[in-house]
Amino acid sequence: LEDIDYTFAVISDTHGKPREDLMGLIVNTNPTFTAIVGDAINSSSDKNYTTFFDRISPLSDIAPIYPSIGNHELVGDRDLARWRSVWTLPGNEMYYSVNTEDICNIFLSSKIDHQPGSAQYNWLETTLAEDDSPFTFIYMHYPPYSGGGSETELRSSLVPLFEQYGVDVVFSGHRHGYEHNRVNGIDYIVTGGGGGELRNASVKDFTIKKEKVNNFINVTVDVDSNKVGIQAIRNDGTEIESFVLS
């Protein structure tokens, strides 16, 4: 993009040990916020959260952190109480939206009931229906489409809403590596390379790009031209790929 008004970062699956090289790269982009798409920690314990917040401090010291709930954050009911005690987030803190200029950022919990008629589903449908932003991004831990294993339940519950209301990008983690998948005009980005052990993903008919690598996503926004740049970056600072939404 020629004129960048602001940037933000997306990362996932740090598992309580965010990589220092990725933290440094993200800090250098001067993000407006950083989204962590689940499994920020490895287990929902006070000790694990303390270690995580200490290691993520280079980012949290300069900009807000917005997380989605992953399977490692929410195993039992007490884990949800701990989540709410350590994070201060908008809405009910389990699913919420953050509007930045040109983008409606919607954070969902794929670990909490999302079937049609559920509270989360109804909230999402209302939020999407009222959204008049040029771009709409979804952040949730489980990927509806992945070469490492798709969450097909999400395809029947939430994907129809994404398609009906013109969601542009869905950011997910859970699968440890990088994937760019595209289905019915929606880009599904898996950025599960924040610190957990890397794993392979297969090539599917919806695969655009995949790589077994630690990574993060750098998002750049040009408000005047209504353009958003999506850049996937390896932990050595080199580019995996990039594309522009307009």
Side-chain angles (χ1 to χ4, degrees):
L1 300 184
E2 294 183 3
D3 297 308
I4 297 174
D5 293 293
Y6 68 95
T7 71
F8 61 90
V10 186
I11 193 170
S12 185
D13 292 86
T14 56
H15 284 268
K17 48 183 180 182
R19 291 183 60 96
E20 290 186 12
D21 48 11
L22 291 175
M23 297 301 99
L25 290 169
I26 295 172
V27 166
N28 288 340
T29 69
N30 191 29
T32 300
F33 69 88
T34 298
I36 302 181
V37 202
D39 285 3
I41 56 168
N42 201 48
S43 64
S44 182
S45 66
D46 292 336
K47 180 179 179 181
N48 210 272
Y49 272 117
T50 298
T51 301
F52 165 76
F53 282 117
D54 179 62
R55 295 188 180 186
I56 206 74
S57 61
L59 295 182
S60 60
D61 285 349
I62 63 172
I65 305 287
Y66 295 119
S68 294
I69 295 176
N71 53 296
H72 282 262
E73 280 91 358
L74 187 55
V75 178
D77 292 339
R78 284 184 293 181
D79 296 337
L80 187 56
R82 183 175 283 112
W83 168 275
R84 284 173 157 158
S85 72
V86 300
W87 293 104
T88 301
L89 301 169
N92 68 11
E93 300 185 310
M94 298 180 295
Y95 43 88
Y96 57 94
S97 64
V98 177
N99 288 323
T100 54
E101 201 163 6
D102 267 6
I103 303 174
C104 178
N105 301 283
I106 299 175
F107 294 79
L108 300 177
S109 173
S110 43
K111 283 286 291 180
I112 293 173
D113 189 6
H114 46 72
Q115 293 300 316
S118 66
Q120 180 171 207
Y121 181 96
N122 292 342
W123 173 86
L124 173 62
E125 185 168 31
T126 298
T127 302
L128 289 171
E130 294 176 350
D131 172 31
D132 60 359
S133 303
F135 301 98
T136 304
F137 291 173
I138 301 288
Y139 306 79
M140 62 183 188
H141 186 58
Y142 288 159
Y145 296 94
S146 169
S150 304
E151 302 295 329
T152 54
E153 185 183 3
L154 292 169
R155 295 187 192 178
S156 61
S157 61
L158 297 184
V159 167
L161 283 182
F162 299 164
E163 295 180 356
Q164 177 182 351
Y165 289 100
V167 166
D168 297 284
V169 182
V170 177
F171 293 104
S172 298
H174 196 52
R175 309 305 178 193
H176 294 182
Y178 175 77
E179 295 179 58
H180 177 191
N181 306 302
R182 184 176 293 136
V183 180
N184 293 336
I186 300 176
D187 291 291
Y188 292 87
I189 304 296
V190 178
T191 177
E197 181 180 356
L198 296 174
R199 298 166 190 159
N200 285 315
S202 302
V203 173
K204 302 292 185 179
D205 57 1
F206 47 69
T207 304
I208 302 295
K209 183 81 173 179
K210 77 174 187 74
E211 189 169 328
K212 182 182 177 182
V213 67
N214 296 108
N215 68 91
F216 79 98
I217 310 301
N218 181 44
V219 182
T220 54
V221 184
D222 182 344
V223 174
D224 289 339
S225 66
N226 279 346
K227 291 182 179 180
V228 176
I230 310 288
Q231 183 184 32
I233 300 176
R234 300 180 185 91
N235 61 300
D236 65 1
T238 58
E239 181 183 284
I240 302 171
E241 67 162 348
S242 62
F243 59 98
V244 175
L245 303 172
S246 60

